[in-house]
């Protein structure tokens, strides 16, 4: 990894204290976010808050299994987000397919298509585990280790090739908008 | 079977159905495929006006596909299951979109997942799957595991006993 300049270190330190997450949920994991967001676990005390548009968000949560149809939208969304951006994969479905390992329409591992900074194991991880992962991600950002977005740029061809192999085509054809 | 339902079954006698009573308010009628539309029409005009579900079952050993229409009555809460079997190798049937416009979407779904053609319904675009390149996936001879292995690579898992022991003892964070 390249040495960071002092300014980058300061910027990373600030970034880690104000992470806005994109409010986009797939799979079953969305169920664990309301308690994480609201009074019981209250993730806003760590500076994490939901954001409606990808252009202003810093992290994307992939909360569970992704089928090929959703993966196209996820790639669109991920590419719309501004740098620096981080991805957190929730649950065993994003790690190795989980109980959908033999499904004909859900992917098996997420980091093959977009770079993932933190994985949370479990089916489904509880809010404590999610907060633990957010703290770990903040730590990684502070140390400059959360560099998924750089890896995506450097290995763009590899990611694109994987995406095309599994999806056929990344472009979204939508019967209601064409 | 409630009395109003058994009256209806008597009306349907002419179609030569095989009637099974599933529950107090649930009756299954199996008929030959050319009489389905007439039976559905009769049921619809007798109060069973709500098509709750239309679905398909693959009986691969009999080489047949079973189509099931579930009709519900808002007047007495009764349910009729109208079932018929069609040939699996040349799956063709008529559309019921004139009776229930919502059937268009059920038919698209069945076309997509079982490969049944519905004559008269020419909007057969895929509904759920995008860029599907195999045989219809809910047919019993389709192997989802094989397809998944071909298209979606797995994560290789290497056993590392020492690391696992360390995680187990809480020395490192797995
Ligand atoms: S890991 Fe479990 S809870 Fe999460 S999406 Fe998969 S099946 Fe659902």
């Amino acid at each position: 990894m390249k040495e960071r300049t002092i300014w980058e270190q300061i910027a990373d330190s600030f970034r880690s204290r104000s992470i806005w997450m994109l409010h986009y949920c797939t799979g079953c994991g969305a169920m664990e976010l309301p308690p994480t967001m609201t009074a019981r676990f209250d993730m806003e005390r760590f500076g994490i808050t939901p954001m409606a548009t990808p252009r202003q968000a810093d992290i994307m949560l992939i909360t569970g299994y992704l089928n090929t149809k959703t993966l196209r939208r996820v790639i669109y969304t991920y590419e719309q987000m501004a740098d620096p951006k981080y991805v957190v994969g929730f649950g065993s479905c994003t790690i190795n397919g989980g109980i959908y390992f033999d499904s004909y329409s859900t992917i098996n591992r997420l980091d093959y298509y977009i770079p993932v900074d933190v994985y949370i194991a479990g089916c489904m991880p509880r809010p404590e585990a999610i907060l633990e992962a957010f703290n770990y991600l903040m730590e990684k950002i502070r140390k400059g280790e959360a560099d998924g977005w750089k890896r995506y740029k450097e290995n763009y061809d590899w990611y694109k090739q994987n995406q095309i192999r599994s999806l056929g085509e990344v472009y979204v054809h939508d019967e209601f908008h064409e | 079977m409630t009395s109003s339902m058994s009256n209806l079954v008597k009306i349907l006698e002419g179609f030569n159905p095989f009637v099974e009573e599933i529950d107090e308010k649930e009756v299954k009628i199996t008929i030959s495929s050319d009489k389905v539309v007439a039976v559905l029409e009769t049921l619809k005009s007798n109060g069973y006006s709500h098509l709750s579900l239309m679905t398909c079952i693959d009986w691969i050993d009999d080489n047949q596909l079973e189509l099931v229409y579930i009709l519900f009555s808002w007047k007495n809460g009764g349910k009729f299951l109208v079932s018929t079997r069609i040939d699996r190798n040349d799956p063709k049937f008529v559309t019921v979109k004139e009776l229930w416009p919502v059937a268009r979407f059920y038919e698209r779904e069945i076309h997509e997942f079982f490969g049944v053609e519905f004559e008269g319904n020419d909007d057969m675009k895929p509904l759920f799957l995008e860029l599907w390149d195999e045989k219809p996936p809910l047919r019993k001879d389709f192997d989802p595991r094989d397809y998944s292995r071909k298209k979606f690579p797995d994560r290789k898992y290497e056993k590392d006993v020492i690391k696992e022991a360390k995680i187990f003892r809480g020395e490192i964070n797995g």
Side-chain angles (χ1 to χ4, degrees):
Chain A
M1 203 192 318
K2 268 197 287 176
E3 257 322 297
R4 289 174 299 161
T5 63
I6 181 89
W7 294 114
E8 274 170 343
Q9 285 179 24
I10 293 171
D12 276 346
S13 166
F14 284 130
R15 272 171 196 153
S16 77
R17 283 175 175 78
S18 160
I19 309 177
W20 288 7
M21 67 169 216
L22 179 62
H23 206 92
Y24 181 85
C25 295
T26 69
C28 337
M31 237 42 253
E32 298 294 331
L33 283 177
T36 320
M37 271 182 232
T38 48
R40 170 91 196 264
F41 292 98
D42 189 15
M43 68 187 188
E44 204 162 336
R45 64 202 155 113
F46 300 112
I48 303 172
T49 181
M51 182 21 86
T53 71
R55 314 250 182 222
Q56 279 125 25
D58 303 304
I59 52 173
M60 175 145 83
L61 310 179
I62 306 293
T63 54
Y65 60 82
L66 273 179
N67 57 31
T68 50
K69 199 172 187 173
T70 323
L71 180 60
R72 284 196 187 94
R73 275 81 181 166
V74 164
I75 293 168
Y76 262 42
T77 317
Y78 181 74
E79 290 182 355
Q80 277 177 18
M81 284 163 65
D83 290 345
K85 49 193 171 186
Y86 314 99
V87 178
V88 180
F90 276 45
S92 43
C93 280
T94 52
I95 299 176
N96 59 8
I99 56 172
Y100 300 101
F101 69 101
D102 63 349
S103 162
Y104 56 85
S105 67
T106 61
I107 58 161
N108 282 359
R109 45 180 284 198
L110 178 62
D111 52 14
Y112 204 64
Y113 309 97
I114 54 175
V116 180
D117 294 299
V118 181
Y119 273 123
I120 315 175
C123 175
M124 193 62 219
R126 280 195 43 84
E128 292 95 328
I130 298 172
L131 288 184
E132 175 85 25
F134 283 153
N135 275 320
Y136 182 59
L137 177 69
M138 285 156 70
E139 195 63 45
K140 272 183 93 170
I141 296 174
R142 236 169 273 147
K143 285 194 202 138
E145 286 168 6
D147 55 352
W149 52 285
K150 286 184 199 152
R151 269 184 282 137
Y152 191 69
K153 276 186 197 156
E154 279 159 20
N155 307 315
Y156 189 72
D157 289 339
W158 187 77
Y159 283 111
K160 263 282 142 331
Q161 177 196 323
N162 293 343
Q163 290 164 5
I164 285 173
R165 177 182 160 194
S166 292
L167 300 178
E169 189 187 8
V170 182
Y171 187 74
V172 174
H173 297 279
D174 191 328
E175 90 174 85
F176 298 106
H177 295 112
E178 281 191 347
Chain B
M1 227 188 294
T2 56
S3 60
S4 70
M5 287 178 109
S6 46
N7 286 345
L8 240 175
V9 169
K10 278 209 196 84
I11 298 177
L12 295 175
E13 215 105 274
F15 296 110
N16 208 348
F18 175 69
V19 182
E20 267 174 281
E21 192 177 336
I22 300 174
D23 203 334
E24 228 226 295
K25 288 192 161 181
E26 216 171 317
V27 178
K28 180 173 177 186
I29 305 177
T30 313
I31 34 170
S32 66
S33 57
D34 50 335
K35 303 194 184 102
V36 170
V37 177
V39 168
L40 290 176
E41 245 164 17
T42 317
L43 285 170
K44 188 182 177 187
S45 55
N46 280 289
Y48 288 81
S49 55
H50 179 92
L51 176 69
S52 352
L53 182 69
M54 172 182 171
T55 187
C56 183
I57 304 156
D58 187 4
W59 297 100
I60 189 166
D61 294 337
D62 307 344
N63 205 15
Q64 279 174 331
L65 290 171
E66 180 178 2
L67 286 173
V68 185
Y69 298 81
I70 301 181
L71 305 185
F72 179 75
S73 161
W74 289 97
K75 289 202 190 102
N76 54 25
K79 252 191 220 157
F80 269 99
L81 279 66
V82 181
S83 137
T84 186
R85 295 214 177 186
I86 55 174
D87 183 20
R88 194 171 176 279
N89 296 331
D90 181 31
K92 278 216 179 78
F93 203 64
V94 286
T95 175
V96 294
K97 74 172 182 188
E98 277 82 19
L99 289 175
W100 290 280
V102 68
R104 294 192 323 261
F105 293 95
Y106 287 132
E107 286 167 1
R108 270 172 76 178
E109 185 187 349
I110 292 173
H111 174 76
E112 183 171 19
F113 285 99
F114 293 92
V116 181
E117 292 286 344
F118 288 91
E119 280 157 29
N121 186 351
D122 38 274
D123 177 22
M124 281 294 167
K125 279 186 300 227
L127 188 58
F128 295 112
L129 306 170
E130 285 180 344
L131 302 174
W132 185 251
D133 51 0
E134 265 274 356
K135 67 176 87 156
L138 289 192
R139 289 226 178 180
K140 289 275 187 277
D141 50 358
F142 172 76
D143 185 356
R145 189 156 190 186
D146 208 41
Y147 184 81
S148 171
R149 212 173 270 150
K150 207 168 66 206
K151 273 219 134 155
F152 312 119
D154 269 328
R155 184 184 301 281
K156 296 278 168 301
Y157 174 67
E158 275 138 32
K159 201 163 172 61
D160 184 347
V161 184
I162 296 171
K163 190 172 175 204
E164 272 172 27
K166 276 188 186 158
I167 294 170
F168 189 66
R169 278 161 55 185
E171 283 172 20
I172 56 169
N173 192 352

